[in-house]
Amino acid sequence: MKFVVDTHSHTVSSGHAYSTVLENAKAAAENGLQLLCLTDHASSMPGAPHFWHFANQKVIPRFLHGVGILRGVEANIMNTAGQVDVLPKVEEHLDWVLASFHEPVFTPSTPDAHTEALLNVIKSGRVDALGHLGNPNFDFDFERVLAAAAEAKVLVEINNSSLSGSRIGSQPRCERIAEIGKEVGVKFTTGSDAHFAYDVGKFDSVMALFEKTKIDESAIVTTSASRFLGFLESRGRTPISEFQSLC
């Protein structure tokens, strides 16, 4: 099994990351990626860029260092109503919307509140994937949320950074998420959550988890560029024609 898409990466624009788009793309090429999603933090996160940053990603070439570049955002889940901090007029310019809980934006609450928020995010239809769900600060009803994600065809991310120590306690939770997700038919995505170019395309911990939980490659959209692009096209996002050379 090989991952050829990294669906979660940050640049200096996120405010607490340390590499540029070009540096991340170069690292992606060196690590054998075919596609890289740019997912700087949306504007509610401290230090994050103005929404113009996301709307203007059209100036970034579709290929850098031979790697296809997808214009995205890591949106913040704002409240139990499932609102995210991406304006609809900005979303029109994006290929990929990942949504996550972040402590500075959504103060950790009860499992019921987190579950309600995630279910409403899924129902909104505005989000392609849920990021780093293994965070123990945001416990939730795994069965309800994962079943809803599978039904709505919203991807569930397995986050390499979480498994490598950035969110202590994520490992057993991510294993359980993978196991339940497999039972209910979830499709998974893989994000390095790189905040420095060195980590782009690094998935050692994700690979070990998928092998341990015996997740079939066909359930992981990032094992094939055409599979990932087909997923985006099914959601009305990026036309495959822009990346025809990868299909």
Side-chain angles (χ1 to χ4, degrees):
M1 186 187 302
K2 178 177 172 57
F3 305 118
V4 297
V5 188
D6 189 340
T7 58
H8 191 164
S9 68
H10 295 277
T11 74
V12 289
S13 295
S14 282
H16 57 278
Y18 303 93
S19 301
T20 66
V21 171
L22 281 171
E23 289 167 340
N24 282 357
K26 184 174 184 290
E30 291 171 349
N31 287 323
L33 295 184
Q34 293 180 296
L35 292 166
L36 174 65
C37 296
L38 306 180
T39 55
D40 282 312
H41 287 289
S43 304
S44 298
M45 190 73 165
H50 190 273
F51 72 83
W52 289 347
H53 169 85
F54 302 100
N56 198 44
Q57 287 185 85
K58 62 183 180 292
V59 304
I60 301 172
R62 276 304 190 188
F63 285 87
L64 293 170
H65 293 286
V67 176
I69 302 299
L70 293 158
R71 303 155 184 167
V73 63
E74 184 181 16
N76 295 285
I77 299 172
M78 303 295 292
N79 47 43
T80 56
Q83 293 176 312
V84 294
D85 56 344
V86 178
L87 296 174
K89 65 180 180 180
V90 173
E91 187 179 344
E92 294 173 5
H93 298 278
L94 300 178
D95 306 318
W96 171 249
V97 178
L98 173 71
S100 309
F101 283 124
H102 292 107
E103 287 85 347
V105 179
F106 190 121
T107 302
S109 183
T110 65
D112 284 347
H114 304 152
T115 299
E116 182 180 0
L118 290 168
L119 290 174
N120 284 328
V121 167
I122 292 167
K123 289 176 186 175
S124 75
R126 299 187 61 200
V127 167
D128 303 308
L130 301 174
H132 48 69
L133 287 179
N135 187 346
N137 291 336
F138 292 101
D139 195 16
F140 65 94
D141 186 323
F142 288 3
E143 285 80 5
R144 287 182 66 198
V145 170
L146 294 173
E151 183 176 0
K153 294 181 172 54
V154 170
L155 301 178
V156 170
E157 178 194 69
I158 301 297
N159 183 291
N160 201 74
S161 178
S162 293
L163 298 174
S164 302
S166 67
R167 299 175 187 87
I168 303 299
S170 292
Q171 179 76 35
R173 294 172 56 80
C174 286
E175 290 179 7
R176 187 63 181 143
I177 286 168
E179 291 167 348
I180 295 172
K182 179 170 64 173
E183 293 172 5
V184 300
V186 157
K187 297 292 185 183
F188 297 96
T189 184
T190 55
S192 66
D193 200 358
H195 285 64
F196 186 64
Y198 176 82
D199 292 318
V200 171
K202 297 287 182 70
F203 297 115
D204 293 349
S205 298
V206 169
M207 179 73 77
L209 185 143
F210 280 140
E211 289 177 348
K212 181 176 181 179
T213 54
K214 296 180 172 57
I215 303 298
D216 190 86
E217 182 174 336
S218 63
I220 308 167
V221 300
T222 50
T223 55
S224 161
S226 60
R227 182 179 293 139
F228 182 68
L229 292 169
F231 166 78
L232 290 182
E233 191 168 60
S234 74
R235 292 184 62 82
R237 300 284 190 191
T238 307
I240 288 181
S241 60
E242 296 199 42
F243 298 98
Q244 196 63 49
S245 63
L246 300 178
C247 297

